[in-house]
Amino acid sequence: MPGPARRPRRRLNQPREQVLAAAMATIAAEGLDRLTMAGLGREVGMSSGHILYYFGTKDELLLQTLQWSEEQLGAERRAALSRRVPARERLDALVDLYLPEGHRDPRWTLWLEVWNRSQNADDETRERQLELELAWHRDLVALLVEGISKGEFRPVDAERFATRTRALLDGFGSQLVVGLPGTEREEVRGHIREFLDESLSARES
């Protein structure tokens, strides 16, 4: 008796991107523990050896998957920041993109795993990870500078404020993704909005 029908596997022109997309989809659907080279191979119609040819190690696969995910999210972020709306509204949009959707958010789950595995990483790997952080930082600094120049935000040291804001987002984001009891996304967004309002609201002279 034939088994269940399966979707035909298509031979794509960019196998690396195909593997990265499949890895992210697996994390989203089944969690990080179910992500294996053999499983990915079955998903994309390659051998595990073929996947290793592209990535070398699972650590490298995870880092490249994270980089790929951040490229997709970066496009969304740039689109949100280019809208012709007040800087404060765009800042809220950046925060929404930064925070996890909730418990076991796949992007944040991957972030935490990559960071955990990188404790003994070499300098080149750490630089690649840092660049992912700096992409958010640079966009946040630019938005703060714009808001200050237009009088929407009160004057602050944009670099220092961005560093502290990202630390706040990382703290709340970590609590959300691990499912800390009593931590809800809307409550977190409220805390962050309150902090930004108190810190950035332009004061009348």
Side-chain angles (χ1 to χ4, degrees):
M1 183 176 178
R6 301 182 65 180
R7 290 178 298 174
R9 291 169 175 162
R10 295 180 297 170
R11 187 180 300 278
L12 300 185
N13 292 327
Q14 296 179 307
R16 174 181 170 276
E17 284 73 15
Q18 184 187 13
V19 173
L20 298 177
M24 201 67 209
T26 298
I27 295 170
E30 303 180 40
L32 197 54
D33 291 342
R34 301 296 297 273
L35 180 65
T36 65
M37 295 292 192
L40 273 180
R42 289 191 295 271
E43 184 68 24
V44 299
M46 300 179 186
S47 68
S48 57
H50 195 186
I51 293 176
L52 283 170
Y53 170 79
Y54 283 103
F55 301 101
T57 65
K58 187 172 183 179
D59 284 358
E60 180 63 22
L61 168 67
L62 293 175
L63 178 53
Q64 288 197 36
T65 302
L66 181 59
Q67 290 175 312
W68 178 85
S69 172
E70 285 294 306
E71 288 171 7
Q72 318 307 308
L73 192 60
E76 292 185 49
R77 185 175 70 248
R78 289 188 293 274
L81 295 179
S82 65
R83 294 172 58 210
R84 295 183 179 276
V85 296
R88 185 66 179 82
E89 187 173 335
R90 283 177 280 150
L91 182 55
D92 285 338
L94 184 147
V95 168
D96 280 341
L97 288 171
Y98 196 105
L99 289 174
E101 290 297 323
H103 186 204
R104 296 179 178 175
D105 176 277
R107 179 175 61 89
W108 268 76
T109 296
L110 184 55
W111 265 107
L112 293 178
E113 181 68 13
V114 168
W115 254 241
N116 182 56
R117 286 169 173 260
S118 70
Q119 295 181 68
N120 298 313
D122 57 29
D123 290 343
E124 190 268 341
T125 298
R126 289 184 177 277
E127 286 296 325
R128 290 162 64 194
Q129 291 174 296
L130 177 61
E131 184 55 35
L132 298 178
E133 294 275 0
L134 291 179
W136 288 93
H137 183 82
R138 287 190 291 262
D139 283 347
L140 178 53
V141 168
L143 183 58
L144 291 169
V145 169
E146 178 189 340
I148 293 167
S149 69
K150 293 181 176 179
E152 295 185 47
F153 300 150
R154 73 178 182 87
V156 297
D157 184 321
E159 286 282 346
R160 290 171 61 84
F161 190 86
T163 297
R164 293 171 178 178
T165 299
R166 289 192 303 107
L168 179 69
L169 295 174
D170 286 342
F172 275 126
S174 298
Q175 293 178 13
L176 282 172
V177 75
V178 301
L180 190 71
T183 304
E184 302 294 336
R185 194 174 195 273
E186 283 307 307
E187 181 183 7
V188 165
R189 291 175 72 239
H191 282 306
I192 295 170
R193 281 196 302 268
E194 183 178 336
F195 164 74
L196 294 174
D197 287 340
E198 292 175 351
S199 303
L200 294 176
S201 292
R203 294 181 171 85
E204 296 181 359
S205 57

